[in-house]
Amino acid sequence: EDVKRVAELRAAVGPNVRLRLDANGAWSLPDARRAIEALREFQPEWLEEPVAHRDVAALAQLRGLGMVLAADESCRNASDLERIVALQAADLVVLKPMAIGRLSATVALARRAADAGLRVVVTSCLDGAVAEAAVLAVARACPPQALAGVGLDRRLVLRNRLEERRAAGDALPNPLAMSARDRPEHPALVCDGRTLTYAQLAAETAQTAHWLQGLGVQRASRVAIVAPVGLDLARVFHAVGWLGAVAMPLDPAAPLTDRAAALGILVPDLVVAAVGLAVPAGAWRQEVLNLPFVSQAPRAPAPLPVAWSLDSVRVCLLTSGSSGAPKPVELTTSQLLFSTMGGAIRLGHLPADRWLACLPMHHVGGLAILWRAAWLGITAVVHCRFDAARVAQVLDSGDVSLVSLVPTQLARVLALRPSQPFPQSLRAVLLGGAAAPSSLLADCRKLGVPVARSWGMTETGSQVATSAPFDDAPGLPLLPFAEASVAPDGRVSLSGPLAGSAGVRTADRGEVDATGRIHIQGRIDDVILRGGENISPAPIEAALLQHPAVAEALVVGRADVDLGQVPVAAVVLRAPVSLAALKEWLAPWLPATHVPRQISVLRELPKSSLGKVLRGRVRQILEQAEAIEPSPQ
């Protein structure tokens, strides 16, 4: 009967209305299993309380069946929540201030749930002014990245009132609209063979916002964008912000299965996809991204730009997942603003700056250039894809003053041009995304490349520590608006406006020296535990890269019966060398326990679209090679 009722409801409302189901503790565990199997085809957003209230152990047994599970009556106090976290029994908790009893207790539960990776819905038991005020108070205190809903739906009245109250208190003018007012004739965007002034970009953005508004997009709506880098992507990104909504760019080259998984994590209200890019069906509206009208005269009054409150979410991105499953990261207006200002303070800011963007824009390093340019009123020169020869030509032409690159890209650019300095108009090469090999930095010193080394992450809106151009002293100075602390195990945590209201507990190991510069020593989960000894891969990789025949190197831990783990290495060679010779080379550089047990030669190291080595994939390759073929090759 329950399944039949949901089937009839889905048929009545169609595929674009979201269903949130509450079984209210009515099913036995076997019934719940059967129900979940049958209900999946109707694509509910989540299912609350499928088994008896507070039977958290039974709830945990239903995880992994392809349904988002929510705890409501089973989460009424701190001990309830800790049991849910310990058993990994739910994906989401529904918090009701009236049922929990105190606003402070509800806020504490929301924050603890967010820290544990759970999503949070805040709603009321009884409607009324007091209940609404309580819900809004808890929602505002909940970390934005965890807030899955306020009331019945984030697009309805409670969510909108929350955003309106935020905007009324600390609103900032839309940055693109302000630059269009202040520098209307200055070039804003160079892309796809066109140069748009700020006046033109704002006009086309407003038309695109009118189109999105017709699709139901409003303040706080979540809009996924599946499109290659180009004018349409830039227009839609700015138009989403024009309406005060949340932009969620996705990798347009990802397989359909990965795209489906990404949308399942992000749960957008609308997905706009470029012509020819498939979008899996789900609890979201779909629309083809085709904007020929933007070059025509407006056909209807365009919406005015919405002000941005400091703590409202502007962007939601998936982390790269280079060493684990991707996760959503939400960035607020405050983080985007302070990231822009901190970078400008460190790198300098000139009104005539032109910033070359050739990184993927579903990653924060590429997308950040669009919002930096809009806030600073400078020009974003956007390449639709990375082409080393084209980048070398543009840098040598003197057409740009700033560029963002990852180390592998910079190495390819340098290899395709004469060994001569760049024009002095190139003020900074912002180099991040991965640790730069010492050989690359040495080449840059010889050529006088104005490298600004950077360490950052999606959670901080790109950079968090950046050296000034030509500063090659050990470590990196933190940007203004960021503070770092280091736990006894070496894990780095960040606070300050760049890190958001909840701060960021990173997966990186490091230390802060007496001058305040931070030294990053690798990731916590990369440490190899050999017989009680902690071994960092970075010094081993650095030693391998000192050998003239080694072009790339990566070291990971492999399970060992006696020692727990031992280091093994994968290398890419630029010239023939025996593996015995490599081990001999390492002997003077490293303790004997740090010399890799196995060194395997790969044609190339697998990398993400941003150029980061996929450490988890390398580990899989080495494990498979060990199981299938005993030869070190």
Side-chain angles (χ1 to χ4, degrees), residues 32-70:
R33 291 183 187 276
R34 289 194 294 272
I36 288 173
E37 292 291 336
L39 290 171
R40 279 206 302 260
E41 69 171 289
F42 307 116
Q43 299 178 320
E45 189 171 5
W46 63 66
L47 172 64
E48 290 181 34
E49 297 288 323
V51 291
H53 301 327
R54 298 182 181 270
D55 192 352
V56 176
L59 186 62
Q61 293 184 53
L62 299 175
R63 293 292 300 283
L65 296 182
M67 183 76 69
V68 175
L69 299 180

Side-chain angles (χ1 to χ4, degrees), residues 502-539:
V504 176
R505 186 170 181 260
T506 77
D508 292 306
R509 294 178 299 108
E511 60 181 23
V512 178
D513 65 25
T515 68
R517 292 172 77 100
I518 190 165
H519 302 254
I520 300 301
Q521 300 162 343
R523 294 178 62 86
I524 286 286
D525 51 9
D526 292 342
V527 172
I528 300 163
L529 304 177
R530 182 191 184 278
E533 179 185 12
N534 291 347
I535 298 176
S536 172

